[in-house]
Amino acid sequence: RRPRIKKMVVVFAALVTPLLSTFAPAPRSTQQAQLGTTRHVGSLPHVVRHPPARSALDPALVEASTVSGAAALGGSLDPALAEASAASGAATLGGIGGLLSNPALLSNPAIAAAGVGLVVVATAVRDYLEAPLGAPYPANAKGYDPAAADRFYRARLPKVAARLLRLGWLTFGFNAKLALDFAAYKRAGSPEGEPWPNEADRGREALALATQLGPTFIKLAQALSIRTDLIPEAYALELRQLQDAVPPFPSTQAKEILASELGLPGGAAALASTFRSLSTEPLAAASIGQVYRGTLHDGRTVAVKVQRPAILDEIGLDLYLLRLLTPLQTRISNAVNRLPTYDADIASAQALVDEWGRGFVAETDYLYEADNTESFAEAMARRGLGAVTSPAVVRELSSSRVLVTEWVDGTRLDLDASPDVPRLCGVAINAYLTMLLDTGVLHCDPHPGNLLRTTDGKLCILDWGMTQRVPSDLQLSLLEFIANLNAEQYDRVPDDLVNLRFVPADKIGELRASGLTVAISKMLRLAAKGGGPAGAMRRMVEENKEKYAAQLSQFDDLDSPEATKERQRLFREDWQREQAADALARGGGAPAGGGGGAASSTTADLTAKIEQLQSENADVFAIPDYFVYMSRAFSTLEGIGLSSDPDYSIVQETLPYISRRIMSDPSPRTAGALETFVFGDVKDDRTARVLSPKRVETLLQGARKYAAATAAVDGADPTLLQPLDTEAAADALLDTLQTPSPLQALVVEQLTLVLAASSRQLWSRLRDASPRVELAGGEDRSLLGLLVDPLGLFRASRLVENDERDHKALEAARRLVEAASSLVGGAPADATAGPDGEGAANAEAAALARALVRKAWERREHIPAISRLFLVEALDQTAARLGRGR
């Protein structure tokens, strides 16, 4: 009986395998033949096309299947033939036909009848599963609708089950290996800070798995590749390869889609009526589409992006399954971490899937991408950012599934050796800050391949399918935060973190009590000085050597292992003590920890540290969605900048835009950022605040650098101040006094203060130089004072005597005049100018003065209104002085 049972099992397997293969994936060898093999050149993968695998109905493969089936009946199965059968897809209808043509099978009526029935069932299942599924919602920016998807797929449960079975089949092996790795990690005692075993291998397997699972999971893997707070670094490094190369789909399909979208009745053969030439194979492929290079009959070279067939059908179903499985995944994740699962956890996870799904579905609408591309170019042109652009869209050839843009000749910014790359990094930062803080539409795919230096020296930003809206209140919060960084106002970090949505408003007390503000402030202070993580570490070491010089005096070599260990111990103790002191000063208890690892840029390094802060203080700290894209953009730009300048500072590079913005934006919150920048800690005390000359000079230099960096495309170095346009400067100064704005109010306030202090100082000098008169009773007074104030009512009044604030204001004015003179001459304030430089500066200063007088006369009708502003401010300041006197 045992041989008979064995034979029946083998026959059953030979018959059932065809049905299972309808759901299960083709083996990896077949998939590679169908998709193409990934070849690495340097660090970037490139897809190389190979001939497709033979059809399952290929006679030779059918013959192999037949022989395999006959061998099975004999009680043995040739492994080589079995592999050939599986790899070829013989376990489909062709394989079944081969089996049924075998006389041994046909001689058994029961087996023959079962085989015929199986053919019918397999045919029906195949036809059903291969029929177009359709999508539950339209492909546009507002199309994603979870409720519509739920109704749509509930009516198509067999197809949902088939996709779920396929996903399970593909991921089972990977998940089983992860479970074994986790078990090994637990057996090793769960060493803190150590990765799970085989992490590098699993990263490579995750890359292959994402490609097998299809476009949705490729896109998900691309998104995860920048989230090292969610996945290990080894995984992220592998998945980043998907940013540059994804296996393409057949060009025959692509060109049929292109012809259909263009309305050409002759199919792909008719493309010659539109294109003079079109590349045979795609130049690049992504998760949603692939790009060809073509030439139109009018001579324009164009990039033609064609969407993958039925892409929304696949995306819609996979998003539905992701949303369906999210509660299970959340419970498993929390169970692994020994945490309870609440309804809010599941709702939050599903909201994250929905947010990601909205962006992904929006990407399938190429007209939406075309709108974003054109809107960006128009927005930059309106704001005078002539050095940055995006490809011009060819509207008449574009549709929701095809995007045609003019070809951009250029090289990747990170690979370009031109001397103006640092300038273009500044241009890119200004452009991204403008998107983030002004237009409110942030480009969310800023990897180096999408940043090109064009042949005429401009920066071109590609691929506008994924963008994120930044609300206006968040824009202002970010503006305040960056202004605080540039002004070194790190004590405002807690409020900034609340405004930036890192910390809920009701948790700010816990944040202040945690001591985290010390850790974050130290990170920001070191990062702001430039040089990336290496530069920050170098500065920290030098600071600590100086700080602990007395304790380290016993060591001859301060870089010896013993001295280094002692220095680190002293630093660690001070760090913990400062955190504890900060927590106690703010009314809290023991501080939380902080730290991080190395990264390729300061931004990436800070991001890693912030991610660690989140993991260690999850009840207080959470990373908002926008931060992922923002940090990705700026870490990419900083990495490019550091490659050409080891002391490159991302914080300092934000200064030009911030300077211009806070000097021109009329909103009250921007006014607060301006006051923070120029006054510092005393900004809220209007009776004591005085401009900081150093900060004002920095602000003015930043504004001039902004103009140089954004407008110049002739190779001018934005780090050097260019000669002053005196006419434009005069107009700008008069516009400031004439146009209501925070800057106008600040200038009027401080000018009034300086004029009043100068008047009092002049009065004191004239009075002291006046002859003395001795009055009856032996009183000695100046003649001038006696004439002006015979009764001596104002001799001790604050109205005629300068106080400490007045002296500070006069000193600030003197230093500002010196700084203005150097700025007019186009040199830094601390430069040592020779006679020729001084002459040029004096000439420009004289030219500016003449321009101011001439233009003020031309605008003389505005003088009464401006005079009233100064009069009102003078009365306010006088009242305040008298109040302080009382």
Side-chain angles (χ1 to χ4, degrees):
R1 288 178 58 86
R2 187 169 296 175
R4 184 178 179 184
I5 292 174
K6 180 180 178 182
K7 183 179 293 185
M8 290 177 64
V9 170
V10 172
V11 172
F12 177 78
L15 291 173
V16 172
T17 301
L19 183 59
L20 290 178
S21 71
T22 308
F23 300 94
R28 184 168 180 176
S29 58
T30 305
Q31 291 170 342
Q32 285 181 335
Q34 292 169 343
L35 295 174
T37 304
T38 301
R39 173 171 59 88
H40 289 265
V41 179
S43 61
L44 299 177
H46 298 268
V47 174
V48 182
R49 294 292 297 164
H50 291 292
R54 290 184 291 179
S55 165
L57 297 179
D58 186 306
L61 297 180
V62 171
E63 180 182 357
S65 171
T66 304
V67 175
S68 174
L73 285 174
S76 64
L77 191 63
D78 187 333
L81 291 179
E83 182 179 354
S85 174
S88 67
T92 57
L93 294 180
I96 295 172
L99 288 171
L100 294 181
S101 65
N102 189 288
L105 282 178
L106 295 176
S107 64
N108 188 321
I111 292 178
V116 171
L118 191 60
V119 169
V120 174
V121 172
T123 302
V125 169
R126 183 201 64 180
D127 291 345
Y128 175 77
L129 294 178
E130 292 183 356
L133 177 61
Y137 34 66
N140 59 53
K142 298 181 179 179
Y144 178 74
D145 185 347
D150 189 62
R151 293 191 299 270
F152 182 85
Y153 292 115
R154 282 182 182 275
R156 296 161 177 81
L157 289 179
K159 290 196 174 186
V160 174
R163 178 59 174 165
L164 192 59
L165 182 60
R166 179 176 173 82
L167 292 177
W169 181 283
L170 283 169
T171 59
F172 176 78
F174 180 77
N175 289 331
K177 290 179 182 178
L178 281 182
L180 292 174
D181 291 343
F182 179 69
Y185 178 75
K186 297 293 286 185
R187 284 196 303 271
S190 304
E192 186 177 353
E194 292 295 322
W196 290 8
N198 307 309
E199 202 167 78
D201 291 338
R202 299 296 169 262
R204 287 188 288 272
E205 292 168 5
L207 172 64
L209 182 61
T211 303
Q212 291 174 330
L213 292 174
T216 306
F217 294 91
I218 289 173
K219 197 70 182 178
L220 181 59
Q222 289 174 334
L224 287 174
S225 70
I226 63 170
R227 292 300 302 266
T228 52
D229 61 318
L230 299 179
I231 62 173
E233 180 68 23
Y235 287 62
L237 288 173
E238 292 293 337
L239 296 179
R240 280 172 200 155
Q241 297 180 32
L242 294 171
Q243 296 175 358
D244 297 289
V246 174
F249 65 97
S251 288
T252 52
Q253 276 185 291
K255 292 181 180 179
E256 287 295 336
I257 292 172
L258 177 58
S260 173
E261 291 297 306
L262 293 176
L264 302 176
L271 290 175
S273 63
T274 302
F275 299 95
R276 183 188 298 170
S277 64
L278 190 65
S279 59
T280 305
E281 295 297 330
L283 277 67
S287 56
I288 293 179
Q290 56 199 41
V291 179
Y292 297 82
R293 179 169 180 163
T295 305
L296 302 180
H297 287 290
D298 61 9
R300 283 181 294 172
T301 302
V302 293
V304 183
K305 183 154 69 170
V306 183
Q307 195 173 104
R308 292 179 182 270
I311 185 69
L312 191 57
D313 297 15
E314 295 184 53
I315 291 172
L317 178 54
D318 285 343
L319 288 175
Y320 173 74
L321 289 174
L322 283 175
R323 202 173 191 281
L324 199 65
L325 296 173
T326 292
L328 176 62
Q329 187 276 333
T330 303
R331 289 189 174 92
I332 293 174
S333 177
N334 286 347
V336 168
N337 292 293
R338 298 179 180 178
L339 296 172
T341 298
Y342 301 103
D343 291 342
D345 296 335
I346 295 174
S348 177
Q350 287 184 324
L352 186 62
V353 172
D354 290 340
E355 182 64 28
W356 183 72
R358 270 187 284 273
F360 195 11
V361 170
E363 276 195 86
T364 63
D365 181 6
Y366 282 174
L367 290 178
Y368 174 70
E369 181 175 347
D371 292 340
N372 289 335
T373 304
E374 291 179 330
S375 296
F376 172 75
E378 293 167 3
M380 296 301 104
R382 282 197 308 271
R383 289 161 176 78
L385 286 158
V388 62
T389 187
S390 57
V393 177
V394 183
R395 277 285 180 178
E396 62 273 19
L397 299 180
S398 298
S399 69
S400 61
R401 299 178 67 197
V402 170
L403 178 62
V404 180
T405 61
E406 293 185 8
W407 188 266
V408 178
D409 284 317
T411 54
R412 283 174 45 147
L413 194 59
D414 62 328
L415 301 179
D416 197 286
S418 303
D420 65 348
V421 167
R423 175 182 68 84
L424 288 176
C425 285
V427 169
I429 287 172
N430 286 324
Y432 272 89
L433 285 171
T434 301
M435 288 185 268
L436 188 67
L437 305 177
D438 188 358
T439 67
V441 179
L442 180 65
H443 180 262
C444 289
D445 198 13
H447 66 78
N450 285 337
L451 302 173
L452 298 184
R453 181 197 180 275
T454 65
T455 53
D456 59 354
K458 292 184 178 182
L459 173 72
C460 184
I461 302 179
L462 309 176
D463 198 354
W464 287 87
M466 181 180 286
T467 59
Q468 182 169 4
R469 303 286 167 175
V470 184
S472 57
D473 63 327
L474 182 57
Q475 290 178 353
L476 291 171
S477 297
L478 285 163
L479 182 64
E480 290 169 337
F481 174 62
I482 298 173
N484 286 338
L485 287 186
N486 278 285
E488 301 182 2
Q489 298 295 306
Y490 303 120
D491 59 323
R492 298 182 181 272
V493 165
D495 294 319
D496 286 333
L497 292 177
V498 171
N499 293 336
L500 294 173
R501 304 177 188 173
F502 283 91
V503 178
D506 60 350
K507 297 285 187 178
I508 189 169
E510 294 179 40
L511 173 67
R512 293 184 185 278
S514 69
L516 286 175
T517 53
V518 170
I520 296 172
S521 297
K522 280 186 176 290
M523 289 191 297
L524 295 173
R525 180 179 63 81
L526 289 168
K529 296 182 180 180
M537 181 59 67
R538 186 172 58 251
R539 282 189 298 276
M540 180 185 290
V541 169
E542 292 305 317
E543 287 179 8
N544 288 341
K545 284 180 181 178
E546 182 177 349
K547 180 178 180 180
Y548 305 121
Q551 295 95 319
L552 299 175
S553 59
Q554 57 181 305
F555 299 102
D556 295 330
D557 181 6
L558 294 183
D559 292 317
S560 66
E562 297 80 9
T564 300
K565 184 177 180 179
E566 178 65 11
R567 187 186 68 242
Q568 291 173 345
R569 183 189 68 79
L570 292 168
F571 173 73
R572 187 163 50 249
E573 288 179 355
D574 276 358
W575 179 283
Q576 293 170 348
R577 188 163 47 249
E578 288 176 20
Q579 282 190 294
D582 183 73
L584 291 172
R586 299 175 188 275
S600 59
S601 75
T602 304
T603 309
D605 190 49
L606 284 173
T607 302
K609 288 182 171 67
I610 289 171
E611 288 162 355
Q612 184 169 348
L613 288 176
Q614 175 187 244
S615 65
E616 295 175 352
N617 305 275
D619 57 332
V620 177
F621 206 84
I623 297 177
D625 293 337
Y626 75 88
F627 179 78
V628 177
Y629 297 110
M630 184 185 75
S631 63
R632 179 184 179 188
F634 286 95
S635 62
T636 297
L637 296 172
E638 188 183 20
I640 296 171
L642 286 169
S643 66
S644 58
D645 179 4
D647 293 322
Y648 186 84
S649 168
I650 190 73
V651 174
Q652 292 174 18
E653 286 299 318
T654 64
L655 177 62
Y657 175 85
I658 295 301
S659 299
R660 172 199 169 270
R661 177 67 183 274
I662 64 178
M663 290 172 65
S664 59
D665 193 316
S667 71
R669 287 182 66 180
T670 306
L674 175 62
E675 291 174 349
T676 296
F677 199 101
V678 297
F679 292 124
D681 291 334
V682 297
K683 75 162 193 170
D684 296 323
D685 186 355
R686 289 181 57 87
T687 64
R689 64 186 194 180
V690 175
L691 290 175
S692 164
K694 181 180 178 181
R695 291 181 176 184
V696 172
E697 181 186 357
T698 301
L699 197 68
L700 295 175
Q701 285 180 334
R704 290 187 64 182
K705 286 181 181 179
Y706 176 85
T710 54
V713 292
D714 56 0
D717 185 353
T719 64
L720 299 177
L721 296 178
Q722 305 304 313
L724 182 70
D725 182 343
T726 54
E727 295 292 313
D731 279 328
L733 288 172
L734 293 174
D735 286 344
T736 297
L737 292 174
Q738 183 180 327
T739 307
S741 69
L743 182 60
Q744 180 204 57
L746 189 150
V747 169
V748 169
E749 173 197 326
Q750 293 296 304
L751 269 179
T752 302
L753 176 63
V754 170
L755 290 173
S758 299
S759 299
R760 285 187 288 273
Q761 184 182 62
L762 178 60
W763 163 254
S764 294
R765 288 175 178 174
L766 290 175
R767 185 185 59 189
D768 293 344
S770 168
R772 310 300 297 179
V773 177
E774 185 174 346
L775 302 178
E779 184 180 4
D780 182 37
R781 292 190 61 187
S782 69
L783 178 61
L784 183 60
L786 188 60
L787 292 174
V788 174
D789 181 18
L791 300 178
L793 298 177
F794 297 98
R795 291 180 65 186
S797 172
R798 297 177 62 87
L799 294 179
V800 296
E801 294 293 337
N802 278 341
D803 56 18
E804 183 181 358
R805 184 192 185 197
D806 295 321
H807 293 306
K808 288 181 178 179
L810 291 172
E811 175 60 18
R814 183 188 65 78
R815 291 176 58 188
L816 283 172
V817 169
E818 292 176 357
S821 298
S822 64
L823 284 172
V824 166
D830 57 353
T832 302
D836 293 340
E838 290 179 0
N842 291 334
E844 285 194 333
L848 178 59
R850 289 193 297 271
L852 277 171
V853 171
R854 185 179 71 256
K855 290 181 177 291
W857 179 251
E858 292 172 357
R859 304 188 189 195
R860 57 188 177 275
E861 69 274 11
H862 298 288
I863 291 177
I866 295 173
S867 299
R868 284 194 295 273
L869 290 175
F870 281 97
L871 177 61
V872 170
E873 180 62 31
L875 291 173
D876 285 344
Q877 291 186 13
T878 299
R881 290 179 70 86
L882 292 175
R884 291 201 304 274
R886 290 196 298 272

